[in-house]
Amino acid sequence: MYIEKYAKVIVKNNSIYTDNLFTYKIPEFLLNHVEVGHRVLVPFGKGNKPIEAYVFLITDIVENNIDFKELFDILDEYPIFKVEDIKLIQWMKNRYLCTYMDCISLLHPKGYKVESFKEISLNNDLKELDAKSFYEKIDSLSENRKFILNKIIENKNKIKVDKLIKEKAIDEGINPKDLKLSTTINNLLLKMKEEKLIDIYWNYKSQKNEKKICYVSLNIDKNIIEDYIGYNKIRLGEKQRDIIEFLKYNDDIEINDLIKLLNASKSSISSLHKKNLITLDFKDYYRSPSDFYDEKRKEIILNEEQKTVVDKITSDMFKEHKKPYMIHGVTGSGKTEVYMEIIDYALKQGLDSIFLVPEISLTPQTISRLKNRFGDIVGVFHSKLSEGEKHDVFKAIKKGKIRILIGARSALFAPFNSLGVVIIDEFHESAYKSEKNPKFSAIEVGKYMVLKQNITLILGSATPSVEEYYRAKNNEYELITIKERANKKPLPSIEVVDMKKELTLGNKSIFSYKLQEEIETELSNNNQVILFLNRRGYGNFVSCRKCGFVFSCKNCDISLTYHKNNNSGRCHYCGYEENIPKSCPECGSDYVRPFGIGTEKVEEEIKKLFKNAKVLRMDKDTTSKKGELDKILNKFKNKEANILIGTQMLSKGLDFEDVTLVGILSADMMLNFPDFKSFENTFQLITQVSGRAGRSDKEGKVVLQTYDTDHYVIRRALNYDFEGFYEDEIKIRKIFSYAPFNNMISVVVSGRNQKLVEKNIKNMYNSLIYLLKNRGVDDFDFILGPNPCAISKINQNYRYQLLFKDDNIEINLLKGIIKYICITKKEVVFDKDVNISIDVNPNNIL
């Protein structure tokens, strides 16, 4: 007698109604095989459709008097999740107020698919009849029944129901998607089952998005193969002899290469295989994205500061209960070289590493440097890979072929078995916080992994985020500073230009006289220049100067950005685009003009001023196609251009030895952004972009243009005074109870019907107040709203928001109530035509 065991599983279904554990009995034949983390197939719903599920718990204790369904099968030989993965999923679900499947999708190996389908076959009673009785039985049936039974016979005694419906539709000349036909057939099948004519059952097909390559080699020793052929009197054609002769001198060859080289056919190869003369070996093929950017490896010797950092972190690598590390190193201090030394040490200890970057497409130099040093054990993972490429990366990691993974935030969940180091480079970047469910922070998940798995977590930046630096000051991190550049050169000097004075001097250009002068000097010295403006397009908006009409997006509550190259206004939120007419649609006047500046206009103006300059532009418009960014960077590196214009893409780790001047065209555009982090973001961008100058033996300089020269952010950035900026900013954050002093939760309700959205957010607010009052809370100052969002409409969806700060309320109580209203009781509180987005500590509240 065996002890009954049960598996508690999460079914692969994105509905909130299935977002809990379901219990299934483990059949006796699977008792010793099912483990926590296994992917299994279970019967689900009234029809017992086979559905994919994930085992979270195995137990022998269940509620009495319940007849549990049994698991169908295990889908993989080994569990796809480790026990610590299951714990991470549970932690993320509670932390970010999302579903199990939201979290599972991050860790689930890509390219796995289960297709469930209904099949029908002849009933045993019918199959046992002799031929005469069988056909007499069929002849006595209705035409539709005859059609179904004949189709089963034609398909070797089984046919998919979907295929049957399609063939019936073709037979009757109607649409296969006709709902009435599907209902009629399904009802008839149920009757035929009752009549014991057919059996109906579910079946499934498990697929993995894998690619195999066929290699051809001799099956018999090359020294005796001719004797073997002669002894066995094997007849060979001319091409078959060519193949044998070629393989004598080549151990193996990929089949397609063999066909091309010898102009052979697959039938010749197949014939040799049947004659047992060759072996066909199918090997795993790992798909990987092409690299367009190439950088030569440089031998670099670490300076004393860098060595101190490496020694500190590597000496503590196996220490229990260690803190995460924060490396605060100035731009150009050689943090990447430090990371690579730490990775190298980890490899020698048998440990794998994950290297996170803000946006993988913007860091080709970092990828190239890692691959140059560590070779083929470096893998790349990010959201723009195909499903097949993602699957192959996960498979290569599990087989130990990839030991170092570089990627965006999703790479954090790669299935390493011996993970030792996680590096989060430029950790201040907002890209480390997901905007989609689950809205996780890579830094928070990394810190959880330190706590539970004892990995070494390293955060690095020249401009740490205010929140994390505050935590470092309060001993949550081991704070390490690198104060000097690796080349021992000073940081580029920053000269501030007051654009108000430029106007009084009669200069109405985008470029101050000082910046024009410096560009002229650097170009004449055969150096390179970077110009930064954090807005793409030609103009900020297009307006009629006579009546004030502004061309706006038809789907969003925002003006269109003007793009001169195709005379269009484009929405940078939903992609809507329209041609800009010469006359105003409101008043008919011809005074329609673009206002403001973007990178497209900067490019046009710079070409007018410096006619011999070779100019490149790097923004979302010029880098949207695959490989375009790498081409731009290669051209600039090879000095095919001497001026590079771009948006904040320029701030992300670029390293060009001939760049000696950086021009920041408008600091005010960033300062005046309506967000509580705008001052922090401005300081970070100024510092990071300035750091692109003077990174080799040549000294660099920066010209910073602004209308607000006395702003504390500008004054602090002028001297690279991060500590001073931090002290100023943290005081403001404390006064207004912003992060890191309080948590903030944003709930956005959106939908196409504005009145319905407004009604639903009020329903949510009223439900919150009711539940909070029942918990003894009567001060609701911590709730802001409900109000329309700052951008109240995006892509035809109206947006209303409730903001919560955990002032005078316990955060877990607040999260519990929000989860209860927005997830558990969603169908009671909200209409089905609205969407709810919950974000814990959002990057912005627009």
Side-chain angles (χ1 to χ4, degrees):
M1 182 179 174
Y2 74 97
I3 299 172
E4 290 184 346
K5 288 196 174 181
Y6 301 84
K8 290 186 179 287
V9 306
I10 297 297
V11 295
K12 189 176 182 180
N13 188 303
N14 291 322
S15 169
I16 59 166
Y17 307 116
T18 59
D19 186 42
N20 48 59
L21 291 165
F22 291 87
T23 305
Y24 287 86
K25 185 179 177 182
I26 301 173
E28 189 174 357
F29 74 95
L30 290 177
L31 264 181
N32 297 322
H33 303 284
V34 177
E35 297 176 46
V36 170
H38 252 130
R39 199 167 58 108
V40 294
L41 203 69
V42 298
F44 194 73
K46 290 181 180 178
N48 288 327
K49 179 180 178 179
I51 190 169
E52 204 175 333
Y54 309 91
V55 178
F56 269 51
L57 181 69
I58 294 174
T59 182
D60 53 9
I61 302 170
V62 291
E63 295 176 43
N64 293 325
N65 306 318
I66 295 179
D67 188 18
F68 292 101
K69 296 178 184 179
E70 284 192 348
L71 292 179
F72 280 146
D73 205 354
I74 298 174
L75 291 171
D76 308 289
E77 185 178 357
Y78 302 106
I80 61 168
F81 296 138
K82 303 185 288 292
V83 172
E84 54 261 38
D85 294 334
I86 299 292
K87 289 178 180 176
L88 175 60
I89 289 166
Q90 291 169 326
W91 176 81
M92 288 181 69
K93 179 184 186 294
N94 292 324
R95 172 68 184 158
Y96 301 113
L97 303 180
C98 57
T99 65
Y100 279 111
M101 279 311 304
D102 288 333
C103 303
I104 286 170
S105 64
L106 292 171
L107 284 81
H108 189 279
K110 312 304 171 188
Y112 284 66
K113 185 180 177 183
V114 174
E115 179 194 357
S116 297
F117 47 86
K118 260 185 189 174
E119 282 188 329
I120 55 173
S121 62
L122 297 177
N123 181 270
N124 282 334
D125 289 356
L126 202 59
K127 282 193 284 188
E128 286 172 3
L129 295 174
D130 60 65
K132 184 183 177 186
S133 302
F134 178 80
Y135 284 106
E136 283 176 355
K137 177 74 174 175
I138 289 181
D139 287 340
S140 68
L141 300 172
S142 67
E143 289 302 315
N144 281 337
R145 284 173 170 79
K146 281 183 192 175
F147 178 87
I148 290 168
L149 292 176
N150 282 325
K151 285 297 172 187
I152 294 173
I153 294 164
E154 286 172 19
N155 286 273
K156 298 179 181 178
N157 194 37
K158 66 177 179 182
I159 185 172
K160 291 181 183 178
V161 172
D162 288 345
K163 184 181 178 184
L164 175 70
I165 292 169
K166 189 176 180 181
E167 295 197 9
K168 183 64 176 171
I170 292 167
D171 185 63
E172 296 189 4
I174 60 176
N175 188 341
K177 294 181 180 179
D178 188 303
L179 191 60
K180 189 176 178 182
L181 174 68
S182 176
T183 304
T184 302
I185 294 287
N186 277 298
N187 286 336
L188 179 57
L189 293 176
L190 289 172
K191 287 178 184 175
M192 290 176 72
K193 184 183 177 184
E194 290 172 7
E195 293 163 1
K196 295 191 175 180
L197 295 172
I198 62 168
D199 291 323
I200 306 173
Y201 50 88
W202 282 100
N203 210 336
Y204 72 93
K205 187 177 180 183
S206 181
Q207 297 172 312
K208 294 179 183 178
N209 191 345
E210 294 184 338
K211 193 170 181 180
K212 303 275 186 181
I213 298 290
C214 180
Y215 285 85
V216 184
S217 60
L218 288 178
N219 192 38
I220 295 164
D221 189 286
K222 64 183 179 182
N223 296 313
I224 62 168
I225 191 165
E226 293 296 342
D227 294 337
Y228 179 85
I229 291 168
Y231 180 79
N232 289 285
K233 298 178 181 178
I234 299 171
R235 296 181 62 188
L236 298 177
E238 184 182 343
K239 284 295 173 189
Q240 291 175 339
R241 285 206 168 274
D242 289 346
I243 293 167
I244 294 294
E245 197 62 29
F246 180 87
L247 292 174
K248 283 182 186 178
Y249 301 100
N250 296 275
D251 289 339
D252 64 9
I253 184 171
E254 201 263 301
I255 190 168
N256 291 320
D257 292 339
L258 182 65
I259 289 168
K260 283 180 187 175
L261 282 169
L262 302 181
N263 196 23
S265 66
K266 284 191 176 178
S267 60
S268 295
I269 296 169
S270 178
S271 177
L272 288 171
H273 185 242
K274 286 175 183 173
K275 292 168 183 174
N276 204 34
L277 295 175
I278 62 170
T279 298
L280 301 180
D281 187 16
F282 290 87
K283 297 180 182 179
D284 287 331
Y285 175 75
Y286 294 93
R287 292 155 286 197
S288 60
S290 303
D291 293 325
F292 297 96
Y293 188 85
D294 182 46
E295 186 173 279
K296 291 178 182 176
R297 185 180 175 186
K298 300 174 186 174
E299 290 298 328
I300 293 173
I301 299 170
L302 298 187
N303 62 32
E304 288 306 312
E305 274 193 306
Q306 290 172 315
K307 284 179 185 174
T308 301
V309 176
V310 172
D311 290 345
K312 168 63 182 166
I313 294 174
T314 54
S315 64
D316 290 346
M317 194 164 285
F318 293 97
K319 183 180 170 184
E320 295 285 334
H321 312 299
K322 58 180 172 283
K323 296 176 187 175
Y325 298 91
M326 180 184 289
I327 301 176
H328 179 203
V330 297
T331 56
S333 60
K335 291 185 288 294
T336 304
E337 293 300 326
V338 168
Y339 301 150
M340 289 198 290
E341 283 295 320
I342 293 165
I343 289 169
D344 191 45
Y345 177 84
L347 276 174
K348 289 169 182 173
Q349 310 308 310
L351 298 174
D352 305 318
S353 300
I354 294 173
F355 190 130
L356 297 187
V357 289
E359 293 177 61
I360 195 72
S361 61
L362 303 183
T363 50
Q365 288 181 322
T366 307
I367 296 169
S368 183
R369 286 163 76 178
L370 279 166
K371 287 191 171 182
N372 279 341
R373 176 153 180 179
F374 297 108
D376 293 337
I377 61 169
V378 176
V380 179
F381 188 86
H382 54 90
S383 59
K384 290 185 181 178
L385 295 182
S386 68
E387 284 298 307
E389 287 170 337
K390 289 177 181 176
H391 175 83
D392 288 353
V393 171
F394 270 46
K395 186 171 71 172
I397 288 169
K398 285 196 168 184
K399 289 195 171 184
K401 291 181 178 292
I402 290 176
R403 302 285 311 281
I404 303 161
L405 187 67
I406 181 169
R409 60 177 181 260
S410 56
L412 189 58
F413 304 100
F416 284 106
N417 290 317
S418 303
L419 183 62
V421 175
V422 172
I423 294 161
I424 306 181
D425 191 29
E426 307 294 2
F427 73 89
H428 64 276
E429 288 283 350
S430 61
Y432 288 121
K433 177 76 161 59
S434 174
E435 297 295 321
K436 296 177 182 177
N437 282 341
K439 296 185 174 72
F440 72 94
S441 157
I443 295 171
E444 287 182 351
V445 174
K447 287 197 280 189
Y448 173 88
M449 292 165 75
V450 170
L451 190 67
K452 299 296 181 181
Q453 300 174 34
N454 198 38
I455 62 161
T456 298
L457 175 66
I458 303 162
L459 277 57
S461 176
T463 53
S465 65
V466 169
E467 293 101 298
E468 296 307 323
Y469 198 69
Y470 173 82
R471 293 181 181 111
K473 290 275 193 178
N474 285 276
N475 296 316
E476 290 185 33
Y477 291 92
E478 188 84 42
L479 181 59
I480 307 170
T481 58
I482 307 177
K483 295 179 179 179
E484 288 190 359
R485 285 191 142 188
N487 62 7
K488 296 295 182 182
K489 297 283 183 183
L491 288 162
S493 60
I494 301 177
E495 184 171 343
V496 176
V497 176
D498 188 341
M499 295 304 283
K500 296 194 296 293
K501 289 182 180 177
E502 291 291 310
L503 281 172
T504 61
L505 294 171
N507 181 12
K508 295 181 181 178
S509 164
I510 304 166
F511 313 104
S512 62
Y513 289 135
K514 178 65 181 174
L515 182 55
Q516 291 179 43
E517 179 189 318
E518 293 290 351
I519 292 172
E520 186 71 57
T521 302
E522 297 310 318
L523 294 185
S524 65
N525 290 332
N526 198 30
N527 291 323
Q528 291 177 300
V529 177
I530 284 177
L531 298 177
F532 168 74
L533 181 73
N534 204 24
R535 187 183 290 275
R536 60 191 169 109
Y538 188 86
N540 302 2
F541 63 95
V542 185
S543 176
C544 172
R545 293 192 177 191
K546 186 174 181 182
C547 71
F549 174 81
V550 176
F551 287 82
S552 298
C553 177
K554 300 289 187 285
N555 303 321
C556 308
D557 177 32
I558 199 161
S559 59
L560 296 174
T561 300
Y562 183 61
H563 291 259
K564 190 178 181 182
N565 65 329
N566 59 356
N567 189 41
S568 70
R570 193 180 305 155
C571 175
H572 290 168
Y573 281 86
C574 74
Y576 171 82
E577 191 170 354
E578 66 177 58
N579 285 327
I580 301 299
K582 290 182 179 178
S583 56
C584 174
E586 196 75 17
C587 71
S589 80
D590 294 333
Y591 298 107
V592 173
R593 300 286 186 277
F595 287 78
I597 56 169
T599 49
E600 199 179 316
K601 188 172 184 179
V602 173
E603 182 183 20
E604 180 182 279
E605 293 295 317
I606 208 78
K607 285 177 177 176
K608 286 180 186 175
L609 281 170
F610 302 96
K611 298 194 187 311
N612 295 323
K614 295 171 184 174
V615 183
L616 289 170
R617 176 161 57 92
M618 191 172 91
D619 55 29
K620 222 170 186 178
D621 299 319
T622 61
T623 60
S624 57
K625 291 180 182 175
K626 197 171 185 179
E628 287 301 315
L629 174 69
D630 290 357
K631 286 178 186 176
I632 290 169
L633 295 178
N634 272 322
K635 282 183 179 180
F636 198 61
K637 181 193 72 173
N638 297 329
K639 298 198 77 170
E640 293 174 43
N642 45 19
I643 297 178
L644 178 63
I645 299 162
T647 55
Q648 65 180 13
M649 288 181 171
L650 294 172
S651 69
K652 295 177 170 59
L654 299 182
D655 193 344
F656 298 107
E657 58 186 29
D658 287 315
V659 171
T660 51
L661 175 66
V662 166
I664 299 172
L665 301 184
S666 175
D668 311 282
M669 197 178 283
M670 302 176 282
L671 275 175
N672 298 325
F673 197 71
D675 185 73
F676 79 92
K677 290 186 177 180
S678 61
F679 295 167
E680 177 183 3
N681 293 338
T682 303
F683 182 89
Q684 288 167 344
L685 275 171
I686 290 172
T687 305
Q688 293 286 347
V689 175
S690 299
R692 300 313 107 202
R695 293 179 75 91
S696 63
D697 295 332
K698 300 176 182 180
E699 289 192 11
K701 62 182 77 170
V702 180
V703 175
L704 172 60
Q705 299 181 168
T706 180
Y707 285 91
D708 192 354
T709 56
D710 293 323
H711 197 289
Y712 78 87
V713 171
I714 303 297
R715 304 318 304 172
R716 297 298 188 185
L718 186 62
N719 300 307
Y720 299 97
D721 183 7
F722 176 79
E723 286 290 340
F725 165 75
Y726 168 78
E727 292 300 333
D728 292 338
E729 181 70 9
I730 204 73
K731 288 171 188 170
I732 296 171
R733 298 277 184 100
K734 191 164 188 177
I735 290 167
F736 290 99
S737 297
Y738 286 132
F741 298 102
N742 280 307
N743 289 289
M744 183 183 285
I745 300 175
S746 161
V747 179
V748 174
V749 178
S750 60
R752 290 179 174 258
N753 184 318
Q754 185 176 6
K755 288 185 178 177
L756 188 68
V757 172
E758 199 171 348
K759 180 194 114 181
N760 275 265
I761 196 122
K762 286 177 179 175
N763 285 350
M764 180 187 168
Y765 178 79
N766 293 334
S767 302
L768 268 162
I769 298 300
Y770 174 79
L771 291 171
L772 287 166
K773 282 182 176 178
N774 282 348
R775 295 293 186 98
V777 178
D778 53 13
D779 179 2
F780 305 113
D781 287 346
F782 63 89
I783 303 176
L784 305 175
N787 292 310
C789 294
I791 301 174
S792 62
K793 186 183 175 190
I794 294 179
N795 204 13
Q796 294 284 0
N797 281 282
Y798 294 92
R799 306 168 70 244
Y800 279 71
Q801 184 178 54
L802 276 166
L803 282 171
F804 307 89
K805 290 183 185 178
D806 60 347
D807 274 337
N808 304 319
I809 185 166
E810 208 277 310
I811 185 67
N812 287 329
L813 169 64
L814 181 58
K815 283 170 70 175
I817 290 175
I818 291 171
K819 182 181 176 183
Y820 180 75
I821 292 170
C822 296
I823 298 176
T824 310
K825 292 295 180 183
K826 182 181 177 183
E827 74 279 11
V828 177
V829 180
F830 298 98
D831 290 293
K832 65 178 182 179
D833 293 329
V834 299
N835 301 306
I836 297 98
S837 172
I838 307 169
D839 198 349
V840 180
N841 293 322
N843 272 332
N844 64 66
I845 50 176
L846 298 178

